[in-house]
């Protein structure tokens, strides 16, 4: 009996132990699960979440919670050290800007220098901070600081006119908003862990100031105020604004690779514009274009004025130096010429150079806008047509062109054009003693007018009798197709040859007309440069008709080059 009683009690005790063990493991598993969930929650917790749990007084003073608090701390520290920054920055600005002021000095002045320059007692306020990628090479750190400054500087310019009159001009009411870029590069193992500091004004969002003659009125001397203001803005652009950068060595070493250097050339063909906004009450606008990569007076290019025209055709070439293809743009601004009065802006547009494939021509139509910075106005102001070619200096050997030799007068576009027998133009004699030559892209331009589609109805019966007129712009050589009666989708399949003396600077104007017993009615047109056909040899494409509600023209273009060389 005792045996059975012990057996039962042992079994009961064993089962109890098993149940207790299982319960314990389940409880411990639940604790582990809760701990994992809590850890994951803490990992996802933001700074704002932590501030809800504990108020700021429970944290040490060096802990910051947001970018705003970081900026407040940075601004407070800058205010403390501003007297020292003011002294050092004033010296740097004077030594770097004053030579540039002299360089851009207006012709009516004999000298232009600072007689006094201090930045005042009010420190700038940082409004944003960011760390950006530095080319992906991992060899530096780039920081951008956005700041606003409505300071009380004391800046007096000592100017002297050609007539010997000395004028102390005060620069007042300065309001500035911009982004400064700081580059710490290269990173090294020696303290402070970077070899040099580069600084630059990455973006100038706002710069307002007024000029006043000390003890007088600057407006009493005509032209001085505008000339001085333009000179100051040019000096800032040329001495501080990106891609210009100032290099301050921190550790001994060669940092010439950090300095501003040209990296390539940008060839721009200003082809045409269409549907421009009319700025004149009587007649039409007289448009011209201003193009630039850097807004410096000596680097800005201006086209000719096309009078009384809202669809101007320029077909002009310009070349620009590129210093940083990753951040620079080509900007085009179209104005209405007002004669003796200030020109009125019709619209502007820009293309980022990083969008261009090096060595390849890009054909673009750009919508004009009122302002490149603030694009709130969606009003249609017309379009401008550009052909762009960016050639980095290191690519010149790849495309085998002679443009690297200053003895040759060629555009970047002419570098990539091949001759009739496949010999690249760059294989011309490039010896230093050879005469300077100009390459003329001469050849036979064959145009096959294949057909048209969806032409607008012109007749009473909803049909048209279309024919095509082809004209080379420079030589004014004309040809025309036969008339196709009663068709809105005519087929011609006619070929015309044009002898072209200067292919890069000529254009093909193709116009479609409706034949009428007593004349002809205009149906639409398209304007083509010869750039693409010269580069590709031949191609077939469809072109929409400008000035028509509908219509597409199908053409086959072919180029047979006959390059010749002209001694200059």
């Amino acid at each position: 009996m005792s045996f059975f009683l012990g057996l039962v009690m042992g079994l009961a005790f064993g089962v109890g132990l098993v149940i207790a063990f299982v319960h314990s493991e389940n409880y411990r598993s639940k604790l582990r699960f809760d701990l994992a969930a809590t850890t994951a929650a803490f990992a996802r917790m933001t700074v704002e979440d932590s501030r809800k749990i504990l108020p700021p007084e429970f944290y040490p003073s060096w802990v910051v919670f947001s970018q705003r608090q970081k900026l407040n701390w940075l601004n407070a520290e800058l205010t403390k050290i501003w007297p020292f920054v003011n002294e050092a920055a004033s010296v740097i600005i004077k030594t770097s800007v004053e030579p540039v002021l002299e360089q851009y000095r207006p012709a009516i002045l004999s000298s232009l220098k600072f007689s006094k320059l201090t930045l005042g007692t009010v420190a700038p306020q940082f409004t944003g901070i960011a760390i950006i990628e530095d080319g992906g090479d991992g060899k530096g750190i780039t920081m951008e600081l956005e700041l606003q400054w409505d300071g009380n500087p004391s800046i007096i310019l000592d100017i002297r006119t050609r007539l010997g009159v000395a004028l102390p001009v005060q620069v007042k009411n300065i309001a500035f908003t911009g982004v400064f870029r700081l580059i710490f590069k290269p990173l090294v193992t020696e303290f402070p862990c970077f070899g040099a500091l580069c600084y630059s004004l990455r973006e100038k969002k706002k710069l307002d100031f007024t000029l006043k003659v000390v003890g007088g009125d600057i407006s009493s001397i005509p032209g001085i105020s505008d000339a001085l203001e333009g000179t100051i803005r040019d000096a800032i652009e040329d001495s501080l604004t990106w891609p210009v950068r100032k290099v301050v060595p921190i550790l001994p070493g060669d940092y010439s690779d950090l300095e501003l250097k040209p990296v390539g050339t940008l060839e721009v063909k200003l082809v045409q514009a269409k549907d421009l906004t009319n700025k004149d009450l009587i007649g039409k606008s007289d448009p011209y274009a201003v193009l630039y990569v850097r807004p410096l007076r000596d680097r800005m290019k201006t086209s000719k004025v096309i009078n009384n025209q809202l669809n101007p055709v320029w077909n002009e070439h310009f070349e620009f130096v590129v210093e940083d293809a990753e951040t620079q743009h080509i900007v085009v601004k179209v104005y209405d010429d007002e004669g003796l009065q200030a020109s009125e802006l019709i619209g502007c547009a820009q293309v980022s150079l990083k969008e261009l494939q090096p060595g390849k021509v890009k054909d673009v139509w750009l919508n004009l806008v009122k302002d490149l910075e603030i694009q709130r106005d969606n009003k249609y102001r017309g379009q401008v047509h550009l052909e762009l070619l960016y050639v980095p200096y290191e690519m010149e050997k790849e495309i085998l062109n002679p443009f690297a030799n200053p003895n040759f007068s060629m555009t970047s576009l002419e570098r990539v054009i091949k001759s009739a027998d496949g010999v690249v133009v760059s294989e011309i004699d490039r010896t230093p003693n050879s005469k300077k030559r100009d390459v003329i892209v001469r050849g036979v331009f064959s145009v096959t007018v294949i057909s048209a589609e969806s032409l607008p109805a012109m007749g009473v019966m909803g049909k048209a009798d279309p024919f095509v007129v082809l004209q080379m712009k420079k030589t004014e050589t004309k040809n025309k197709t036969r008339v196709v009666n009663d068709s809105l989708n005519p087929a011609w399949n006619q070929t015309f040859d044009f002898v072209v003396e200067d292919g890069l600077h000529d254009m093909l104007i193709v116009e479609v007309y409706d034949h009428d017993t007593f004349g002809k009615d205009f149906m639409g047109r398209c304007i083509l440069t010869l750039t693409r056909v010269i580069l590709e040899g031949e191609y077939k494409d469809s072109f929409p008709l400008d000035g028509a509600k509908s219509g597409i023209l199908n053409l086959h273009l072919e180029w047979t080059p006959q390059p010749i060389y002209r001694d200059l």
Side-chain angles (χ1 to χ4, degrees):
M1 188 67 180
S2 298
F3 171 76
F4 286 106
L5 181 60
L7 179 62
V8 171
M9 292 179 64
L11 289 174
F13 182 73
V15 171
L17 285 176
V18 171
I19 293 174
F21 178 77
V22 171
H23 178 74
S24 175
E25 287 300 309
N26 289 339
Y27 178 73
R28 293 174 62 186
S29 177
K30 183 177 182 301
L31 289 179
R32 289 194 297 268
F33 179 81
D34 292 342
L35 179 61
T38 303
T39 303
F42 272 106
R44 295 190 300 269
M45 189 172 64
T46 64
V47 173
E48 293 300 323
D49 295 331
S50 68
R51 297 182 66 183
K52 294 176 183 178
I53 298 174
L54 290 176
E57 58 266 22
F58 286 91
Y59 290 90
S61 60
W62 48 266
V63 176
V64 291
F65 300 95
S66 65
Q67 186 181 56
R68 173 56 56 189
Q69 289 182 315
K70 294 177 184 178
L71 293 173
N72 289 341
W73 172 83
L74 189 59
N75 289 327
E77 295 301 315
L78 179 59
T79 301
K80 293 178 183 178
I81 65 173
W82 179 246
F84 307 98
V85 174
N86 172 31
E87 184 174 350
S90 298
V91 174
I92 292 175
I93 293 174
K94 185 175 182 179
T95 56
S96 61
V97 175
E98 192 170 65
V100 185
L101 280 175
E102 187 66 21
Q103 175 185 346
Y104 288 101
R105 172 173 49 85
I108 58 177
L109 302 181
S110 61
S111 69
L112 176 58
K113 297 181 180 180
F114 288 109
S115 62
K116 184 178 181 181
L117 195 159
T118 61
L119 299 182
T121 58
V122 179
Q125 294 293 298
F126 292 107
T127 57
I129 183 171
I131 305 296
I132 64 174
E133 296 290 336
D134 188 29
D137 56 8
K139 297 180 180 179
I141 296 175
T142 300
M143 177 185 296
E144 290 193 345
L145 296 167
E146 183 181 57
L147 60 83
Q148 293 180 345
W149 186 44
D150 295 298
N152 58 347
S154 179
I155 303 175
I156 298 179
L157 295 169
D158 181 18
I159 68 174
R160 294 183 180 274
T161 67
R162 295 289 182 183
L163 301 177
V165 179
L167 296 174
V169 177
Q170 185 177 10
V171 184
K172 299 180 61 178
N173 304 324
I174 296 179
F176 173 78
T177 302
V179 178
F180 272 90
R181 171 173 285 189
L182 303 177
I183 302 175
F184 305 88
K185 192 174 182 178
L187 299 180
V188 295
T189 56
E190 183 179 353
F191 189 80
C193 301
F194 57 91
L197 168 65
C198 299
Y199 65 90
S200 175
L201 178 58
R202 173 66 182 86
E203 183 180 357
K204 184 172 72 264
K205 295 185 177 181
K206 174 185 177 183
L207 176 60
D208 294 329
F209 57 87
T210 57
L211 301 174
K212 179 177 175 59
V213 173
V214 178
D217 185 5
I218 195 171
S219 62
S220 61
I221 304 179
I224 287 286
S225 179
D226 291 340
L228 272 181
E229 181 175 340
T231 298
I232 292 172
R233 292 183 183 277
D234 283 344
I236 294 174
E237 185 71 33
D238 200 11
S239 60
L240 293 175
T241 305
W242 185 266
V244 176
R245 75 291 304 261
K246 301 297 182 182
V247 181
V248 181
I250 304 299
L251 299 174
D254 180 14
Y255 304 110
S256 58
D257 60 316
L258 301 179
E259 297 174 354
L260 176 67
K261 296 178 181 178
V263 296
T265 55
L266 176 69
E267 185 76 15
V268 179
K269 176 180 280 189
L270 174 65
V271 182
Q272 60 179 317
K274 66 179 182 181
D275 304 329
L276 296 179
T277 301
N278 192 6
K279 294 292 184 179
D280 293 346
L281 296 177
I282 300 176
K284 299 178 181 179
S285 296
D286 306 316
Y288 70 93
V290 175
L291 301 93
Y292 60 85
V293 173
R294 291 180 62 193
L296 298 172
R297 277 179 289 180
D298 60 342
R299 294 196 182 187
M300 300 171 77
K301 311 294 184 181
T302 303
S303 75
K304 59 180 179 287
V305 177
I306 306 294
N307 293 319
N308 197 38
Q309 181 61 256
L310 300 181
N311 297 282
V313 178
W314 289 289
N315 197 36
E316 295 186 57
H317 261 95
F318 305 101
E319 190 169 274
F320 301 90
V321 175
V322 177
E323 288 107 348
D324 185 4
E326 287 298 313
T327 60
Q328 289 186 303
H329 300 74
I330 174 65
V331 177
V332 54
K333 295 185 176 181
V334 181
Y335 293 90
D336 175 26
D337 181 47
E338 298 289 352
L340 297 178
Q341 299 180 357
S343 299
E344 187 173 0
L345 179 68
I346 297 176
C348 51
Q350 66 180 7
V351 177
S352 174
L353 300 190
K354 66 181 180 182
E355 298 177 6
L356 305 180
Q357 184 179 353
K360 300 293 184 181
V361 176
K362 183 170 184 176
D363 187 294
V364 293
W365 280 93
L366 304 174
N367 289 330
L368 297 175
V369 297
K370 182 179 181 180
D371 192 293
L372 294 174
E373 300 295 334
I374 305 174
Q375 299 186 13
R376 297 176 182 173
D377 186 357
N378 295 323
K379 178 182 176 182
Y380 182 71
R381 300 173 181 274
Q383 293 180 303
V384 62
H385 183 195
L386 303 177
E387 288 180 352
L388 306 171
L389 173 65
Y390 171 55
V391 181
Y393 289 149
E394 64 268 16
M395 280 194 64
E396 291 182 344
K397 292 183 179 179
E398 297 179 19
I399 59 177
L400 298 176
N401 65 79
F403 194 74
N405 190 328
N407 293 326
F408 283 83
S409 174
M410 296 178 63
T411 65
S412 298
L413 193 57
E414 290 169 334
R415 307 177 201 178
V416 297
I417 296 176
K418 297 184 178 181
S419 63
D421 56 1
V423 178
V424 180
V425 174
S426 63
E427 295 174 5
I428 308 169
D429 179 19
R430 298 176 60 182
T431 59
N433 296 326
S434 62
K435 292 184 178 180
K436 186 176 180 181
R437 290 168 160 187
D438 185 21
V439 175
I440 303 171
V441 183
R442 181 178 184 272
V444 177
F445 181 37
S446 299
V447 182
T448 300
V449 183
I450 302 173
S451 62
E453 302 173 19
S454 304
L455 295 179
M458 303 296 290
V460 179
M461 304 301 294
K463 294 288 185 179
D465 305 318
F467 67 97
V468 178
V469 176
L470 303 96
Q471 177 181 344
M472 300 306 299
K473 182 175 175 59
K474 291 192 70 173
T475 61
E476 298 185 353
T477 306
K478 286 186 178 182
N479 279 301
K480 67 178 182 179
T481 67
R482 64 179 181 275
V483 177
V484 177
N485 294 318
D486 296 328
S487 178
L488 300 181
N489 298 282
W492 292 282
N493 290 307
Q494 289 183 257
T495 301
F496 304 93
D497 292 333
F498 298 90
V499 176
V500 178
E501 294 294 336
D502 188 4
L504 287 180
H505 304 94
D506 211 342
M507 305 180 76
L508 173 67
I509 301 175
V510 185
E511 296 178 324
V512 182
Y513 291 92
D514 174 36
H515 177 70
D516 196 4
T517 304
F518 301 102
K520 59 184 180 181
D521 297 320
F522 178 75
M523 300 180 70
R525 74 170 182 175
C526 58
I527 299 176
L528 307 176
T529 68
L530 276 61
T531 306
R532 181 180 172 186
V533 70
I534 291 175
L535 293 174
E536 298 182 11
E538 68 173 309
Y539 71 93
K540 183 188 297 184
D541 208 342
S542 298
F543 303 92
L545 292 177
D546 290 333
K549 295 181 180 179
S550 63
I552 294 176
L553 194 60
N554 300 310
L555 302 176
H556 179 259
L557 308 177
E558 186 174 358
W559 176 258
T560 304
Q562 299 173 354
I564 59 175
Y565 309 102
R566 175 182 62 195
D567 291 337
L568 298 181

